[in-house]
Amino acid sequence: MKIMRALSILSLSMMSSILSASEIDTAISSQEHGKLEYTFADIAGDSSIAMKGNQSVAYLGFGSRLDQVITGGSLHLEFYPSPALRASVSHLRVFLNNELMDVIQIDSDPSTPKQSQTIALDGRFFKNYNQLKFELNGQIDAQCSDGNDPALWWELSSASAIQLDVRNLAIANELSLLPAPFFDARDFHDVTIPFVVPQGLSLTNIHSVSNVASYFASYVKWRDIEFPVYSDTLPGRHAVVFATNNARPAFLKDLPRITQPTIQMVSHPDNPKVKLLLILGADELQLSLAVKGLAASNQLMAGEVAYVNQVQNLQVRQPYDAPNWLPTDRAVRFSELIEGGYQLESQGVNLAPINVSFTLPPDLFTWNDNSIPLRLNYRHSPPQEGTVGSKLSVTVNDGFVRAFSLDSEGTSKQQQIWRLPVFGSESFSESQNLKIPGFKAATTNTVGFNFELAKSVAGECQGSSSSIQYAAIDGNSTVDFSGFPHYIRMPNSQVFASSGFPYSKMADLSETAIVITPQPSDKEIELLLETVGFISKKTGLPAYRYTLLDTWDETQLTDKDILVLGVQSATEFGLASESLAYVNSSEDGQFMTAAVKPEKGNAQDLAKFNGQPATVSAHLSTRGGFASIASFESPVTSNRTVTVLSARNQQSIPLLKKALTENSEQLSGSAVAITKYDITSYQIGDHYFVGSLPLYDLIWYHFSDRPMVMVMVALLLVMGFTLLAWRMLRAYASRRLGSTMEHRND
């Protein structure tokens, strides 16, 4: 309460010198109402939403923030109806939480294939979680129509948008809400959490601040997150504030003396609907203890304030146990890979594919492996009697793997296991053992199951049923990646961009050291927060065990994977590497040679890089923004990685974040040059391997692209075994001959 009182008094004194009382009321009132917008691409991806067949249904879900209430809104739809649809009877019904909002009829003018319409959404029917449902009722022929005709379709453009009117709420100062309202899982937008820090942060305090950033980042999943840093000023939105007795933002100079590690939620002094999370400690050690309490015990906190007395040793992590990664030491049930059972179900006239996604460690070695076991249990509505061609198709990363027959002839043998599921549709259950080709395994995988149940057509306008069908994958189905070794060729900027590897191998970053420039600027601190947050987003765990340095201290860098961050950071620490030589920069200009051809390798390796034949080295003087990512083997410990994220100047730092979040698919190789408009990757210098393989796999992998060497090795082995066998047989024959001669002499 003392803290809150101090903030309120300080704020009123600041505002009274600038605004009148009526102006203050107007400023606060203007913050009570606002608008939000989601495009369909924000919710469902960049592809349009296809509806096929009469009575086909599509769903879109979105949430309402804890600190906001939706008072109304509108739905702006852009769509392409099939030109074969009859305009007089075909229509699309739009529901919000199962309440009919409007009916859309197609334009009879065939010259306008793309159409649009805006629908008002009644504010009375919004909830914490909301669902839009689109139901197509279409007809082609005037007399009768086959509801499954391929010409019966409707496409909803991903540019369609939901616009919401919201009213901001004053929620309680309650720590049990964390990470809300700073991050709200029901909000699908990208996340911005301002961090307010005192000027001249010590290295220990910077480490504490970055741990809080990783705590919030571990929740955001697919969203991007950024942490703008404020020194001595308070932003007008939810923010996190750090202070000790000797280092505190200027607006907290009148804050009572801090005596113990404290975590407190208070209202913003200018707007009670905005919250501040105060992380306080009397000194650096107490601030660090408060941060550890937030990361380890936030589920136990309640009320406005929590005092952290002590934190027991946080759980020691094991390699590859990141919460967001698929476990590779056991078979994993599909129910562990989804947020709700609805993700394993499909219903409609034409069944939409059921997709199961998971993330694998990027160094999982599945090369040349025949299969990955998948035990599949599924249910579906029975195919219509007398039909053929019903099947279940399985894809991995959009690549076809296998199809199973679901014809009625096959189901008649299984009648005894038909049952009536809970959802009330007659269903047929089956179980299959499936082998997924090992080469399909990638860092991020999607296994798709597409049920196609045949329908009979007995004659014109007969038997063309458009009844609802059901299919489901049992949550007890399993996929098993256990037994695969970990082995990968490095350096590889792509695996860092896609999963934070090799630093994310230990989800708490306990085998990582981060080196930043001494006395970092606010922009460099932002780079640290967002880089650590980027890795925590990939793992789903706060990164609280890494080592933070501002000098190149080899005693503390031994047996560590190293991240180097900052403006001209490689030059700052005197790092030398062939990778760095191609992306080195200075304030006066950037130094780069022309593109180089990747080092020799097989065609698949060469295709990964966009290098050109070497031409000439050049010194390019430019005033434009420039940043780079360079990766190479650690000079301190072999088979460890150094990744340097360097910017030419303060204004170039945002290029690094943009490259890692928006353009990560363009990153590869050991050196990446980043400008405002282009990203160029190179494979330069020596490579090395991280992990281990059984001897047999090790030999075959490294000689797989050298068939003549393998032939020579095989011939040498055959000759060696032949010579050995010949010598053994000769020795055996000599002994037997000698024994025979001795027997005769006797």
Side-chain angles (χ1 to χ4, degrees), residues 529-571:
L529 303 186
E530 291 174 359
T531 302
V532 173
F534 166 77
I535 298 174
S536 291
K537 167 187 166 181
K538 300 295 185 180
T539 62
L541 189 78
Y544 46 80
R545 287 189 181 273
Y546 77 89
T547 301
L548 182 63
L549 305 171
D550 60 3
T551 60
W552 188 267
D553 185 352
E554 293 194 358
T555 60
Q556 298 191 63
L557 296 176
T558 301
D559 204 26
K560 299 280 189 182
D561 292 304
I562 305 168
L563 274 169
V564 182
L565 312 175
V567 173
Q568 301 176 38
S569 52
T571 304

Side-chain angles (χ1 to χ4, degrees), residues 60-64 70 96-97 125-132:
L60 279 179
F62 60 95
S64 172
I70 301 176
L96 172 64
N97 295 326
F125 301 110
F126 285 99
K127 303 176 182 178
N128 289 339
Y129 288 94
N130 304 283
Q131 185 182 73
L132 287 172

Side-chain angles (χ1 to χ4, degrees), residues 77-81 104-109 112-117 154:
L77 286 179
E78 297 183 11
F79 53 91
Y80 296 84
I104 300 175
Q105 290 188 313
I106 62 174
D107 192 335
S108 58
D109 184 0
T112 56
K114 181 179 180 179
Q115 302 178 25
S116 63
Q117 185 165 330
W154 192 299

Side-chain angles (χ1 to χ4, degrees), residues 313-331:
N313 289 333
L314 300 178
Q315 178 184 354
V316 177
R317 309 300 301 193
Q318 300 298 318
Y320 309 105
D321 70 347
N324 286 350
W325 290 4
L326 185 87
T328 56
D329 57 351
R330 59 179 176 85

Side-chain angles (χ1 to χ4, degrees), residues 55 148 348-350 384 455 465-469:
Q55 298 182 19
N148 303 295
V349 177
N350 293 285
Q384 292 186 4
K455 303 176 180 66
S465 171
S466 59
S467 59
I468 300 296
Q469 298 175 321

Side-chain angles (χ1 to χ4, degrees), residues 620-640:
L620 308 177
S621 297
T622 175
R623 295 181 182 272
F626 178 77
S628 64
I629 301 174
S631 188
F632 50 92
E633 187 174 15
S634 171
V636 182
T637 307
S638 60
N639 295 332
R640 290 286 188 172

